[in-house]
Amino acid sequence: MHCDLFGTDEAIEVFNKFAGQFEFDYEIGKMEALQAVGKFRGKSEQARLIIRAGVIIGNADGNLDNDERKALKEIVLELGENPADFDLADTTASTPKGDRIRLGGNN
């Protein structure tokens, strides 16, 4: 599966825009980020790619903690996908170091 949502330069520009919004005001940044993500609702291939990227980024340190899981679950719900497909239905327990959260879909 291959899906280009953004070119590298555009992705960096978009990331910096949203990072700046979060730094200015967390709640406004969150609302605007979820609104942007929501544009992919109903587009399952792109939505799952966004979720997988979030899981990979959140798990980069080997631990997807509760805050990261909760943020990912909000993104999953905003995209209209099922949190259980990504082991995010229960956000009360973190994934221990070394464990891997499912990337969802047919992996």
Side-chain angles (χ1 to χ4, degrees), residues 14-88:
V14 169
F15 173 83
N16 287 335
K17 173 187 168 198
F18 285 109
Q21 290 170 338
F22 273 96
E23 288 175 10
F24 177 72
D25 184 299
Y26 176 80
E27 290 301 322
I28 290 173
K30 177 180 167 182
M31 178 189 68
E32 290 183 4
L34 287 174
Q35 184 178 33
V37 166
K39 292 178 183 177
F40 295 97
R41 184 182 194 91
K43 299 175 183 176
S44 190
E45 182 178 346
Q46 292 94 340
R48 288 177 172 272
L49 181 62
I50 291 167
I51 297 163
R52 287 182 186 116
V55 169
I56 290 166
I57 291 166
N59 209 19
D61 64 355
N63 180 43
L64 196 65
D65 66 34
N66 282 336
D67 290 338
E68 292 164 331
R69 292 174 64 83
K70 287 176 186 175
L72 281 166
K73 185 174 180 180
E74 283 187 81
I75 292 168
V76 169
L77 292 172
E78 186 69 28
L79 289 166
E81 297 292 328
N82 184 352
D85 290 350
F86 303 91
D87 287 338
L88 294 170

